[in-house]
Amino acid sequence: MTDIRDVAKMAGVSVSTVSYAFSGKRPISATTYERIMDAVKKLGYTPNAGARMLRAEHKHIVAISAPLRLGQNRTAYADYFIEFARQEHSRGYDSLLLTAENGVEDIRRVALGNLADGVVLMDIVNDDIRATQASTYKRPCVAIGLPRRHEDCACIDLDFEKMGRIAIKNMVQAGRRRLIFLKGPDQDYRRRSGYRLILLASLRKWAAQYNAEFHEISNGVANQTQYANRVLKAIGTHKANGLISEIRPVVLDAVLGRIAENGLTIPDDIAVMSCAADTPSETLKALHISEMPLTPDTLCAAASDMLTKAIEGNQDVAGQVRLQDPPLIQRQSVPTIE
């Protein structure tokens, strides 16, 4: 009759390590855990009921994979991490922050080592390896974002495709068909930030659908004055009458100041809308700029709710996608034609 010693021998580990794999009392590496489980399967070994119960016991900890990157917007990073941790705390769970850029091995280590009941992925890129490997975590996994491949994890995000359509439609309805898009940080596009690529693709598509001119300005100039001058020159070159902005509100403030210095007014000469630049911004509010902001509070609440229910109800949420309508805050920067 097969016993725990046979499993240990086949896996090449001690009996106590096999016991820890079943009970979760001490962390073991993902590689070791997988080797033990492979031996269990091959030998047809069934751990006793007590060990299975310990292994299945919820730790009331969730792992947050939020990579730390050079040049990262720390405020935005903190907004999502803190809000999600707050949501989980209100549901009786603590949060374990994982900051590796790739993240897969760290997630496996804590998930397969029984240190976390579930996983949330933040700062999603288009081809996100953390999402494509989600089935190997053996735990419920929810991404705040929409990677290109998401069959093995659930996804919660704003509908950035819809955001692009709303932005273009509002401009066109206001009679603005010569548009310039002020793109977000170049580094985000280089690493193929998921939501930025979705928004850009949508803006291009809907500009073509509405027969609007659409020009793009990258955000690679460090000096705000130089960047503002570059935008002003582009406005003159393309005779633009609409700006859609993805740049940070403080940078847009500098751009609008330079536009005003040149005698142009908003919205009479230039209509302006901010898309996915920040959380609801006091700067944009003071400037009376219409915006569709990022919403970490609602996204994190929805992700936390889905993950917690999956953990406690033993639900398979892989492949589910829930997109929230982008909030549109109308101010005076895009005219309304009666």
Side-chain angles (χ1 to χ4, degrees):
M1 183 177 179
T2 302
D3 63 21
I4 193 171
R5 289 169 295 185
D6 299 312
V7 174
K9 184 177 179 180
M10 178 174 281
V13 298
S14 67
V15 171
S16 60
T17 299
V18 177
S19 178
Y20 296 146
F22 293 147
S23 69
K25 286 183 177 179
R26 292 187 185 177
I28 61 174
S29 72
T31 301
T32 300
Y33 179 76
E34 289 175 338
R35 199 162 68 242
I36 291 169
M37 291 301 107
D38 186 57
V40 167
K41 183 177 180 180
K42 288 178 179 177
L43 292 170
Y45 176 70
T46 303
N48 64 56
R52 287 200 304 272
M53 286 176 65
L54 283 168
R55 180 67 192 174
E57 183 183 46
H58 289 161
K59 302 301 179 184
H60 288 275
I61 295 173
V62 295
I64 301 175
S65 175
L68 284 173
R69 312 180 197 272
L70 289 175
Q72 197 167 40
N73 184 330
R74 294 186 179 183
T75 301
Y77 181 95
D79 283 343
Y80 281 87
F81 163 62
I82 292 173
E83 181 59 29
F84 187 83
R86 188 185 72 80
Q87 291 287 342
E88 284 298 326
H89 181 73
S90 71
R91 291 164 170 78
Y93 286 74
D94 289 319
S95 298
L96 176 63
L97 178 62
L98 306 177
T99 59
E101 187 156 356
N102 176 303
V104 171
E105 289 309 312
D106 282 354
I107 297 170
R108 285 176 177 159
R109 172 169 52 83
V110 301
L112 299 179
N114 202 33
L115 297 177
D117 301 319
V119 179
V120 67
L121 309 178
M122 295 185 178
D123 200 10
I124 297 296
V125 296
N126 193 45
D127 290 297
D128 203 305
I129 191 172
R130 296 171 299 162
T132 59
Q133 293 295 310
S135 65
T136 69
Y137 308 150
K138 310 301 182 185
R139 295 288 186 275
C141 181
V142 177
I144 300 180
L146 186 63
R148 186 173 63 86
R149 288 187 53 194
H150 49 265
E151 306 95 302
D152 294 325
C153 67
C155 299
I156 299 282
D157 207 0
L158 287 177
D159 190 338
F160 288 100
E161 200 286 331
K162 188 172 184 178
M163 183 181 289
R165 175 168 61 85
I166 292 171
I168 296 295
K169 184 177 179 180
N170 270 255
M171 286 291 181
V172 170
Q173 287 181 338
R176 309 307 167 96
R177 292 180 176 272
R178 298 187 301 275
L179 308 176
I180 292 178
F181 178 47
L182 307 182
K183 296 171 72 175
D186 283 357
Q187 67 227 24
D188 285 1
Y189 281 94
R190 284 194 296 269
R191 66 182 179 82
R192 299 183 62 74
S193 174
Y195 78 93
R196 294 200 189 277
L197 294 184
I198 294 171
L199 176 58
L200 177 58
S202 177
L203 290 168
R204 288 171 174 171
K205 181 183 82 173
W206 288 103
Q209 293 259 3
Y210 282 103
N211 295 314
E213 293 181 28
F214 188 75
H215 306 279
E216 302 166 22
I217 297 182
S218 62
N219 191 1
V221 180
N223 184 288
Q224 287 187 14
T225 301
Q226 292 177 345
Y227 180 75
N229 286 336
R230 184 179 173 193
V231 174
L232 186 63
K233 182 179 179 180
I235 290 171
T237 299
H238 301 296
K239 296 181 173 54
N241 55 14
L243 289 181
I244 298 173
S245 173
E246 194 184 41
I247 60 179
R248 290 185 298 124
V250 65
V251 181
L252 181 59
D253 188 10
V255 169
L256 298 183
R258 187 70 185 91
I259 288 174
E261 290 171 3
N262 204 55
L264 299 175
T265 60
I266 298 168
D268 294 338
D269 298 307
I270 305 286
V272 181
M273 178 174 288
S274 175
C275 294
D278 203 349
T279 56
S281 169
E282 288 301 316
T283 297
L284 296 180
K285 182 178 180 181
L287 293 169
H288 306 292
I289 301 299
S290 297
E291 63 174 319
M292 283 186 278
L294 299 173
T295 57
D297 50 351
T298 61
L299 290 176
C300 289
S304 178
D305 190 50
M306 178 183 278
L307 185 61
T308 305
K309 287 179 178 178
I311 292 168
E312 297 180 351
N314 195 29
Q315 299 174 3
D316 181 7
V317 294
Q320 293 188 28
V321 175
R322 298 180 187 174
L323 300 179
Q324 299 180 359
D325 285 342
L328 174 58
I329 303 174
Q330 290 277 25
R331 298 193 176 104
Q332 289 83 42
S333 62
V334 179
T336 301
I337 298 178
E338 299 297 336

